[in-house]
Amino acid sequence: VSTQSTGLLSVPMNQPTDILSLVRESADFVASNATSVKINHEAVKEFVDTLNPEEFVRMVVKDAVFDVKFQSIEHEINYITLIDMLNFGSGFRHELQKTYQRGAYETILYGLTQMAKSGVTFDAEFLSNITVSSTATYFGFPVEKTDPNSTLDLLTRHLTRAMNEIGSALTKLGHKDVAQFLYETIQTKENENPKAVPLIARLVSVFPPLDDSAIYKGRKVFIHKKAQLVTADLNRRFKTINPKKFNFDDLDKLTVFSDNVLPAVLRKFGILEVDEDLKNLIQSRSILPPGDQEIELRLCSIKASSLIVSYSNSIKKPMTEMDLDFFLWNKGKDPTFRTFERHHTQETYYY
């Protein structure tokens, strides 16, 4: 079969090559071949039919508030983008909650906020050169405990590696920071709005912490949670401030941003069903290593969410997958959902 290169992989000529089509194809493939995770199609319909429209809108439009006085718009762009780029550590949430009373996302937010308040502008030089001990200081981890076998030491090293790789990528391209990278990458013609999909592809190809892909049953599959989240959050915050750069007009093409929260929320709604072995592993808070079961949880969530949106739109309840993601993620913060156990994967910096 003849192939063409996309810069990401080689795919058959008759296959679509835009990056989100690859994510959707991956979700179709995994959902069709999954052995530990299944989608309950009746539960998909029930979810849409019983969805409270007011609650949905309220959770979708819920904006984040940051305790930072930014030096400039570019400083804020760097901060928000890095929150998404470093948005991982979910596999450490129980230890973080027990030790610091913060979850994974709150931990990332705390560390970057401490940096911003201390005058860090998140330029390429800073990110390239930050050390493990400096990371521990900013994130409030015990610097004196450098035990390589401790889980928080592993998280600190993951965070440091991610920042170093982001800084090195920016330096290689000659960009002083993420904001400059975005300004130069997002180019629009007169009377045209910017596009999110090409930006997602560029983010994935440039920054290793965003290349969210894996091998499943001999085939490369794609998720790209964080690259999509970057475009969604840039749009939410800056679309009116700088519409020529951030008022993306193709956000309806985004999938949900699949991590460990969405599979748990979809399981709570009965939309995802898992076999007994995986259920027991999750309920026991055991570490789920990267591999088929973890991939099935994340990509079946993407497929299930696309079915939810398709059915909702078919009965005249307009919805995008991006909005559904915001709803499900915020729903995961509800006490009844937050106590529903999520899977824990530590050897990843994708979520």
Side-chain angles (χ1 to χ4, degrees):
V1 179
S2 61
T3 62
Q4 62 181 350
S5 174
T6 67
L8 298 168
L9 82 167
S10 292
V11 296
M13 285 289 287
N14 62 347
Q15 297 294 317
T17 57
D18 76 80
I19 195 164
L20 297 188
S21 292
L22 294 174
V23 174
R24 293 185 186 282
E25 283 190 350
S26 299
D28 289 344
F29 176 73
V30 170
S32 297
N33 291 277
T35 56
S36 294
V37 183
K38 300 296 180 186
I39 299 171
N40 183 326
H41 292 261
E42 287 303 313
V44 167
K45 294 182 65 177
E46 182 181 357
F47 171 84
V48 176
D49 291 340
T50 59
L51 184 63
N52 183 317
E54 290 77 19
E55 181 189 25
F56 185 84
V57 171
R58 185 175 68 253
M59 290 197 171
V60 167
V61 301
K62 200 173 184 179
D63 287 328
V65 178
F66 304 115
D67 183 27
V68 179
K69 185 175 181 180
F70 296 105
Q71 301 175 26
S72 63
I73 292 296
E74 290 72 29
H75 190 206
E76 187 175 2
I77 289 171
N78 290 337
Y79 174 85
I80 289 175
T81 305
L82 279 166
I83 288 173
D84 291 343
M85 287 181 161
L86 298 179
N87 191 354
F88 62 91
S90 60
F92 303 87
R93 65 186 291 260
H94 286 305
E95 184 168 353
L96 289 167
Q97 287 281 8
K98 180 180 178 181
T99 308
Y100 302 104
Q101 293 75 55
R102 290 191 293 267
Y105 173 75
E106 289 79 13
T107 297
I108 303 304
L109 198 61
Y110 175 85
L112 292 177
T113 299
Q114 295 310 303
M115 291 180 189
K117 286 183 174 182
S118 67
V120 171
T121 59
F122 309 104
D123 57 55
E125 182 179 3
F126 172 84
L127 295 171
S128 297
N129 295 305
I130 191 169
T131 63
V132 171
S133 61
S134 293
T135 299
T137 299
Y138 283 119
F139 283 82
F141 300 151
V143 181
E144 68 277 6
K145 295 182 181 178
T146 55
D147 177 8
N149 296 314
S150 77
T151 54
L152 289 184
D153 187 82
L154 178 60
L155 176 58
T156 306
R157 293 178 186 279
H158 282 339
L159 288 166
T160 306
R161 173 188 167 195
M163 286 187 281
N164 290 165
E165 289 183 346
I166 293 166
S168 296
L170 290 168
T171 300
K172 184 178 180 180
L173 292 172
H175 298 309
K176 68 176 183 179
D177 56 20
V178 173
Q180 187 184 70
F181 164 82
L182 292 169
Y183 286 161
E184 295 190 16
T185 299
I186 303 167
Q187 300 293 331
T188 56
K189 297 178 181 178
E190 191 173 356
N191 299 321
E192 284 188 1
N193 286 330
K195 304 291 183 184
V197 175
L199 175 59
I200 292 165
R202 182 65 173 155
L203 287 165
V204 167
S205 68
V206 168
F207 299 108
L210 274 61
D211 186 13
D212 187 1
S213 58
I215 302 298
Y216 177 81
K217 299 189 186 298
R219 172 170 167 170
K220 190 169 186 180
V221 292
F222 305 87
I223 301 175
H224 298 321
K225 171 221 168 182
K226 293 195 292 186
Q228 295 191 70
L229 182 58
V230 165
T231 62
D233 282 345
L234 287 171
N235 173 263
R236 283 174 70 133
R237 177 65 186 94
F238 301 108
K239 64 183 176 184
T240 56
I241 296 172
N242 192 340
K244 290 299 291 181
K245 294 298 183 184
F246 303 118
N247 189 25
F248 305 116
D249 67 0
D250 58 346
L251 292 173
D252 59 323
K253 294 184 178 180
L254 270 58
T255 70
V256 291
F257 320 131
S258 190
D259 48 14
N260 74 328
V261 176
L262 264 60
V265 174
L266 291 171
R267 284 180 58 222
K268 177 72 170 172
F269 277 116
I271 294 168
L272 286 191
E273 299 174 347
V274 301
D275 64 20
E276 283 300 311
D277 287 344
L278 181 54
K279 179 181 177 181
N280 291 336
L281 188 148
I282 294 172
Q283 291 303 118
S284 66
R285 297 186 174 180
S286 300
I287 300 300
L288 178 64
D292 285 1
Q293 290 179 315
E294 178 233 357
I295 292 166
E296 288 180 10
L297 283 165
R298 297 183 71 203
L299 276 163
C300 285
S301 294
I302 293 176
K303 180 60 180 179
S305 297
S306 73
L307 294 173
I308 290 170
V309 171
S310 178
Y311 175 64
S312 185
N313 288 330
S314 75
I315 61 170
K316 310 303 181 185
K317 290 185 176 181
M319 179 190 297
T320 66
E321 288 171 60
M322 180 182 73
D323 286 344
L324 176 61
D325 178 277
F326 290 140
F327 171 79
L328 293 174
W329 197 85
N330 283 313
K331 192 71 173 174
K333 299 293 183 182
D334 278 3
T336 54
F337 282 79
R338 200 178 187 107
T339 56
F340 193 76
E341 201 58 56
R342 308 168 188 173
H343 76 270
H344 293 81
T345 301
Q346 295 185 342
E347 287 292 343
T348 180
Y349 61 1
Y350 299 138
Y351 66 99

